[in-house]
Amino acid sequence: MAKSSADDEELRRACEAAIEGTKQKIVLSIRVAKSHGIWGKSGKLGRHMAKPRVLALSTKSKGQRTKAFLRVLKYSTGGVLEPAKLYKVKHLSKVEVIANDPSGCSFTLGFDNLRSQSVTPPQWTMRNIDDRNRLLLCILNICKDVLGRLPKVVGIDVVEMALWAKENTPTIPKQTNLQDGVPVAATVTESDLKVTVERELVSQAEEEDMEALLGNYLMGIGEAEAFSESLKRELLALEAANVHAILESEPLIEEVLLGLEAATNCVDDMDEWLGIFNLKLRHMREDIESIETRNNKLEMQSVNNVSLIEELDKLLERLRVPSEHATCLTAGSFDEAHMLQNIEACEWLTGALRGLQVPNLDPSYANMRAVKEKRTELEKLKTMFVRRASEFLRNYFASLVDFMISDKSYFSQRGQLKRPDHADLRYKCRTYARLLQHLKSLDKNCLGPLRKAYCSSLSLLLRREAREFANELRASTKASRNPTVWLEASAGSSQSSHNADTSSVSEAYAKMLTIFIPLLVDESSFFAHFMCFEVPALVPPGSVANGNKDGNAIDEDDDDDLGIMDIDENDGKAGKNSADLAALNESLQDLLDGIQEDFYAVVDWAYKIDPLRCISMHGITERYLSGQKADAAGFVRLLLGDLESKISMQFSRFVDEACHQIERNERNLRQMGVLSYIPRFATLATCMEQYIPGQSRDLVDHAYTKFVSIMFATLERIAQTDPKYADVFLLENYAAFQNSLYDLANVVPTLAKYYHQASEAYEQACTRHISMIIFYQFEKLFQFARKIEDLMYTITPEEIPFQLGFLSGVDKSISAMYKRLQKNLTSEELLPSLWDKCKKEFLDKYENFAQLVAKIYPNESIPSVSEMRELLASM
């Protein structure tokens, strides 16, 4: 017999290495082939994808207990054994040898704890029968020793196993327990194995009977027919003995039958009695069930009645109107001392109405008559209270304002400017702020008339304050009146009146804005909060529109809101509050409309004193308007925008009048020298620059553009009236424009542009005028040069005759040219520069003439260019 893998010590060591650390001892290790068997039509066993595996039986001792395991190990990529599966032997319920395997080497192991019993268990195939018997025998012995029971064995005879155990004496390890409970591996001999097998599988007597039977079989092994006949005879003898025994026991059987019949009768009687009792018990049970059913219904009805009474009590409590609230809502006073009771009554009424609505009330109650009647009663209370409260507030607002208007100490008086103070008014209004909020929650439509009443009353107060303040402001401001005629040709040359200080006019306008713009913004903000508009805060933190206590300082503690969030915190509601924002702007129009007339009156007054003060007032207004961009009150922005337009219109009126003054210069028949509006414009521009506040230049730059455009156009039209002196007239005026605006042009970009434009026009006029003077004095010389140039295209240069005497008296001609240039100028300071330009222009022309003569008449002698330059320098 070939050596079995169960005796392979190297395989055992590999298995022990694979389970190292588990504290388990290998009892047996053997190589097998794993597959899933499929039986075909012919009953032959087919194997698919058999995989090499190693089955190892191991034990683990813990105290007095020993646990047994069946391990499946597989080969890794490097040929090293590694654990694949672990089965507990205590769950082994079946050992079945595959009957359809002709070799008998295949078997399956059934475990009762597998999750899916419908899956075919794996099939293990041994190399030979000996390996199979050796493994199965070891499994059975361990089950008997450790578990005290054997699994079900199918497909193999126990006798066959015993015979195999006798013939084979393998050495297998088993575990014994030392005194300290530690398992120790020991060697089991053939005799030990045989004793174990015989003790566990068959008894000693059974073994002897088997040996005798086997001996008989061996004795008759060669006499099959005789043995068969012997068996037949023995069978016949046994049958005859059985028949005889039956016949002998007939009296006993009859006696037994009689006893059975008597017992049957007793049983029938008992069955009849039991049937009667069963019928009575069934009726009794039905009666009991009926009683229990009625009892359960009564108990349920009692519980439902209790619950119903509790719910009705709660509903009645919700429907009850407290007498103190009813009295307050129908006939209570709205004095400040009783406002707490009014607020509590409003809160109760709001909660009661909300509690009778379907989301807060069970839908089954909503259609009850009592609920409908109570809802109607509450609606009547609400209507009565809203009507009474609205009437009181309308009268209250009117009485507050009438009281303030009747007291002259609230307004500016002669010799005393008084800043409007609405702190007391707002304090009294705040007393009813929560009442307004409750009125809004009760009836939104009631706020419209209240808002109109508040706006109508407060508008009278604001307009009276603005009118009195503006009148006293104008009366207390002392300023000299500056003329509005700056560029008129008939105006005197003295400009001393233009130097009058009118800064107090701008300061008065700034004070008007400083006092009233924050007041209007605060009133708009207070109105929005007080009248429960759902809009962001109207006064952003740190804006110039915050209320101030005096004309200059901003009081950061002046807080007139009612606890509503700032704009940044309420930014998310801007979209859904657009309707309220439109209603607010409409109400603010009613509140503040008409007050702009007093601002317009201050602007008109300032314009009459000094039109140029429109520049500083425009800058002040623009600064306030830029401070109102962060979502300030809408009407205040409109007011400032209208003021800015009004100031721009007044200044445009001044600019248009000045332009008409410039255009009236054309009416003079003869214009000589520098026009009067040129230096006057320089004076005007200097004054305008002094009035510009900060960097606000748009208004002034637009005026400059219009002024200079009209000035240059008028200058050109006047020059065309006398073409003979047009160039002299233009160059003198353009030079005067440059000289008078030189300093301003260096700092004002708009004037710098027109300065360069005047410079170009001056150069063009100079060039035309100088060319005319040169040609007039040296006409023969340049006509001869032009004649030579014309003849060179038709005849040869040698045929052109030379003209004598055209250069005679050249020094006299140059002197006459200087005198002619000097004669036409009215601005003597321009003569040196013009004479230098004239000499340069003449030398350039003479140089071209000298080159032409040298080319055509090389033998003719004329003064050289250097001689002519020396002659001009000596003049």
Side-chain angles (χ1 to χ4, degrees):
M1 182 176 64
K3 182 180 179 181
S4 173
S5 61
D7 299 327
D8 191 347
E9 292 298 329
E10 184 176 351
L11 178 63
R12 180 187 295 272
R13 287 193 294 271
C15 293
E16 290 176 348
I19 66 172
E20 185 178 3
T22 61
K23 298 182 180 181
Q24 297 178 13
K25 298 297 181 181
I26 300 296
V27 177
L28 176 67
S29 59
I30 191 167
R31 293 186 180 90
V32 298
K34 175 185 176 183
S35 63
H36 289 277
I38 299 175
W39 293 273
K41 296 179 181 179
S42 60
K44 292 184 179 181
L45 180 63
R47 298 182 180 89
H48 293 271
M49 297 179 65
K51 302 176 182 177
R53 294 287 187 270
V54 173
L55 290 180
L57 281 167
S58 62
T59 60
K60 179 179 181 182
S61 296
K62 188 173 183 181
Q64 297 299 325
R65 294 187 302 166
T66 301
K67 295 183 179 180
F69 305 93
L70 176 64
R71 287 186 170 273
V72 181
L73 297 96
K74 64 180 181 180
Y75 290 96
S76 63
T77 307
V80 180
L81 283 177
E82 59 182 18
K85 285 188 179 297
L86 175 66
Y87 300 98
K88 293 182 179 181
V89 176
K90 69 178 181 179
H91 294 297
L92 181 63
S93 61
K94 183 179 179 181
V95 177
E96 181 178 1
V97 176
I98 306 302
N100 291 331
D101 184 4
S103 66
C105 297
S106 299
F107 63 92
T108 60
L109 300 175
F111 294 87
D112 58 9
N113 65 333
L114 295 182
R115 294 183 179 178
S116 178
Q117 296 292 342
S118 61
V119 179
T120 304
Q123 172 181 300
W124 310 101
T125 303
M126 314 301 292
R127 188 175 59 173
N128 50 47
I129 294 293
D130 293 333
D131 284 354
R132 184 204 71 180
N133 290 341
R134 191 167 186 175
L135 176 61
L136 296 183
L137 190 61
C138 186
I139 292 173
L140 294 176
N141 286 333
I142 289 178
C143 288
K144 186 64 178 177
D145 289 339
V146 176
L147 306 177
R149 63 175 178 80
L150 289 176
K152 184 179 178 181
V153 180
V154 180
I156 186 170
D157 193 359
V158 177
V159 177
E160 181 184 348
M161 292 289 289
L163 292 176
W164 181 87
K166 275 190 172 185
E167 295 176 0
N168 297 276
T169 57
T171 301
I172 61 175
K174 72 175 183 178
Q175 289 194 3
T176 61
N177 295 331
L178 298 180
Q179 294 179 357
D180 57 357
V182 179
V184 179
T187 302
V188 181
T189 61
E190 178 186 0
S191 60
D192 296 333
L193 183 60
K194 182 171 73 172
V195 172
T196 303
V197 172
E198 290 174 353
R199 182 179 69 250
E200 300 299 335
L201 300 181
V202 293
S203 65
Q204 185 65 31
E206 290 174 339
E207 183 181 1
E208 292 175 357
D209 291 341
M210 273 194 255
E211 289 179 352
L213 182 60
L214 289 174
N216 292 335
Y217 286 159
L218 293 176
M219 284 170 35
I221 197 69
E223 300 174 357
E225 294 179 1
F227 181 67
S228 178
E229 289 296 332
S230 175
L231 290 178
K232 288 179 180 179
R233 288 194 298 273
E234 291 179 2
L235 180 59
L236 291 175
L238 288 174
E239 290 178 354
N242 289 336
V243 171
H244 180 70
I246 291 171
L247 292 176
E248 286 181 349
S249 59
E250 182 179 359
L252 297 175
I253 293 174
E254 290 180 356
E255 185 177 354
V256 171
L257 289 175
L258 291 175
L260 289 175
E261 186 176 357
T264 301
N265 292 332
C266 292
V267 170
D268 291 338
D269 294 340
M270 184 65 68
D271 182 62
E272 186 177 355
W273 281 103
L274 290 176
I276 295 172
F277 289 139
N278 187 33
L279 180 62
K280 292 182 177 182
L281 289 174
R282 186 172 68 251
H283 287 229
M284 187 179 297
R285 187 164 50 252
E286 291 175 355
D287 295 339
I288 293 173
E289 290 178 355
S290 177
I291 293 171
E292 289 180 350
T293 300
R294 289 197 298 270
N295 187 36
N296 291 339
K297 289 181 179 179
L298 290 174
E299 289 182 0
M300 184 180 297
Q301 185 177 359
S302 176
V303 172
N304 290 337
N305 288 337
V306 173
S307 299
L308 178 60
I309 292 173
E310 292 177 355
E311 289 296 325
L312 290 176
D313 289 339
K314 293 179 182 177
L315 182 60
L316 289 174
E317 182 64 26
R318 295 171 71 176
L319 297 179
R320 187 180 68 86
V321 179
S323 58
E324 63 275 13
H325 293 336
T327 303
C328 186
L329 292 172
T330 55
S333 172
F334 290 100
D335 293 340
E336 183 176 353
H338 296 87
M339 280 312 299
L340 182 59
Q341 291 87 339
N342 288 322
I343 296 301
E344 291 177 352
C346 286
E347 291 176 350
W348 175 86
L349 181 59
T350 303
L353 287 171
R354 191 180 298 113
L356 294 182
Q357 301 300 324
V358 170
N360 302 312
L361 182 68
D362 194 299
S364 59
Y365 295 158
N367 295 323
M368 292 178 63
R369 187 176 66 180
V371 174
K372 291 181 179 178
E373 291 176 353
K374 186 57 63 175
R375 189 183 297 121
T376 303
E377 179 183 352
L378 294 179
E379 289 290 340
K380 290 181 180 178
L381 282 176
K382 180 189 76 172
T383 304
M384 181 182 299
F385 179 77
V386 169
R387 178 177 54 79
R388 292 178 58 249
S390 299
E391 183 178 358
F392 168 79
L393 288 175
R394 285 196 297 270
N395 296 332
Y396 183 75
F397 295 151
S399 64
L400 277 180
V401 173
D402 290 343
F403 174 76
M404 295 182 68
I405 290 178
S406 62
D407 188 354
K408 294 184 179 181
S409 63
Y410 278 103
F411 307 102
S412 298
Q413 301 177 20
R414 182 175 300 275
Q416 180 185 4
L417 278 174
K418 186 174 181 62
R419 181 182 187 274
D421 186 4
H422 293 178
D424 186 59
L425 173 66
R426 294 175 189 173
Y427 175 78
K428 293 179 179 179
C429 288
R430 282 196 190 97
T431 304
Y432 300 95
R434 291 187 63 190
L435 178 62
L436 281 171
Q437 293 174 1
H438 285 291
L439 289 177
K440 179 181 179 181
S441 64
L442 291 173
D443 185 7
K444 287 186 177 181
N445 296 327
C446 75
L447 288 182
L450 285 176
R451 290 166 178 171
K452 287 185 177 296
Y454 181 87
C455 292
S456 177
S457 300
L458 192 62
S459 178
L460 295 175
L461 177 63
L462 289 173
R463 295 178 63 181
R464 172 74 179 276
E465 290 172 337
R467 184 169 63 255
E468 297 293 343
F469 189 90
N471 291 339
E472 180 57 29
L473 187 67
R474 294 195 298 270
S476 61
T477 302
K478 305 299 181 182
S480 300
R481 187 181 294 252
N482 275 346
T484 59
V485 179
W486 282 81
L487 305 178
E488 181 69 56
S490 61
S493 59
S494 175
Q495 299 293 329
S496 60
S497 61
H498 293 165
N499 297 326
D501 184 14
T502 59
S503 59
S504 57
V505 174
S506 300
E507 293 173 358
Y509 176 76
K511 180 176 288 188
M512 184 77 176
L513 293 185
T514 302
I515 294 298
F516 277 92
I517 293 302
L519 175 67
L520 297 181
V521 174
D522 288 345
E523 286 299 333
S524 301
S525 177
F526 178 81
F527 174 74
H529 301 156
F530 180 58
M531 285 297 172
C532 305
F533 286 96
E534 295 181 3
V535 294
L538 297 182
V539 185
S543 72
V544 296
N546 287 337
N548 19 354
K549 296 298 182 184
D550 54 29
N552 298 317
I554 295 177
D555 184 7
E556 298 178 355
D557 297 329
D558 186 10
D559 185 9
D560 286 327
D561 64 19
L562 301 175
I564 299 178
M565 292 185 295
D566 288 338
I567 182 172
D568 295 334
E569 300 173 2
N570 206 22
D571 194 31
K573 299 182 180 179
K576 61 183 180 180
N577 295 335
S578 57
D580 257 15
L581 189 59
L584 172 62
N585 288 330
E586 183 179 353
S587 298
L588 290 178
Q589 184 77 17
D590 297 336
L591 176 65
L592 304 177
D593 193 19
I595 198 173
Q596 64 270 26
E597 299 300 330
D598 298 296
F599 288 89
Y600 294 165
V602 174
V603 171
D604 294 339
W605 165 76
Y607 175 78
K608 291 178 182 179
I609 293 178
D610 187 358
L612 295 184
R613 282 297 163 186
C614 290
I615 299 173
S616 57
M617 290 191 297
H618 187 275
I620 294 170
T621 308
E622 189 176 43
R623 185 172 69 251
Y624 269 88
L625 189 60
S626 64
Q628 298 298 318
K629 290 182 179 179
D631 199 15
F635 185 82
V636 177
R637 289 201 307 273
L638 294 177
L639 172 62
L640 290 172
D642 292 343
L643 276 175
E644 190 177 38
S645 300
K646 175 76 172 178
I647 295 170
S648 299
M649 183 182 67
Q650 291 284 48
F651 188 70
S652 297
R653 174 184 165 189
F654 165 74
V655 172
D656 292 340
E657 180 62 28
C659 290
H660 290 317
Q661 296 169 12
I662 295 173
E663 291 173 344
R664 282 196 287 270
N665 284 272
E666 296 183 48
R667 299 176 185 177
N668 297 332
L669 297 178
R670 180 87 164 106
Q671 296 282 351
M672 293 298 294
V674 177
L675 296 177
S676 59
Y677 64 72
I678 296 293
R680 290 176 183 173
F681 171 73
T683 304
L684 175 63
T686 303
C687 292
M688 290 170 66
E689 287 297 320
Q690 294 174 355
Y691 290 166
I692 296 177
Q695 301 297 324
S696 179
R697 299 199 49 89
D698 293 341
L699 189 68
V700 175
D701 287 342
H702 180 72
Y704 285 159
T705 300
K706 195 167 185 179
F707 278 145
V708 177
S709 299
I710 295 296
M711 288 168 59
F712 285 178
T714 303
L715 190 63
E716 293 290 340
R717 287 195 296 270
I718 294 174
Q720 297 302 321
T721 59
D722 190 358
K724 181 178 180 181
Y725 300 102
D727 292 331
V728 176
F729 177 75
L730 289 175
L731 68 87
E732 285 184 329
N733 281 276
Y734 281 126
F737 181 86
Q738 295 179 75
N739 292 334
S740 61
L741 291 175
Y742 177 78
D743 294 331
L744 286 178
N746 287 327
V747 294
V748 180
T750 303
L751 293 179
K753 179 180 69 173
Y754 292 109
Y755 181 89
H756 294 304
Q757 182 178 338
S759 177
E760 293 176 0
Y762 170 77
E763 293 293 337
Q764 294 173 2
C766 286
T767 301
R768 291 193 302 270
H769 182 60
I770 290 172
S771 298
M772 184 269 296
I773 291 177
I774 293 174
F775 187 79
Y776 180 81
Q777 293 297 332
F778 295 93
E779 181 179 4
K780 293 181 180 180
L781 174 67
F782 294 113
Q783 283 182 350
F784 177 67
R786 189 178 299 111
K787 179 181 179 181
I788 294 175
E789 291 176 351
D790 294 339
L791 291 175
M792 286 178 64
Y793 292 102
T794 56
I795 60 178
T796 59
E798 293 79 4
E799 297 177 2
I800 301 174
F802 182 75
Q803 184 176 353
L804 298 176
F806 58 83
L807 285 177
S808 59
V810 65
D811 52 345
K812 296 181 179 180
S813 298
I814 293 174
S815 177
M817 184 172 61
Y818 177 80
K819 291 178 180 180
R820 187 174 183 84
L821 182 65
Q822 184 181 25
K823 175 183 177 182
N824 295 328
L825 282 178
T826 58
S827 302
E828 292 294 333
E829 67 272 9
L830 296 178
L831 183 59
S833 62
L834 284 177
W835 176 239
D836 290 340
K837 288 178 180 290
C838 185
K839 290 190 291 184
K840 182 177 182 303
E841 183 71 18
F842 176 75
L843 282 175
D844 291 341
K845 292 180 179 294
Y846 184 78
E847 185 176 1
N848 293 333
F849 173 76
Q851 292 175 357
L852 183 64
V853 170
K855 178 179 179 181
I856 299 177
Y857 307 106
N859 298 324
E860 294 293 336
S861 174
I862 61 174
S864 64
V865 175
S866 59
E867 292 175 349
M868 190 63 68
R869 181 178 293 108
E870 292 176 357
L871 179 61
L872 288 172
S874 63
M875 296 298 295

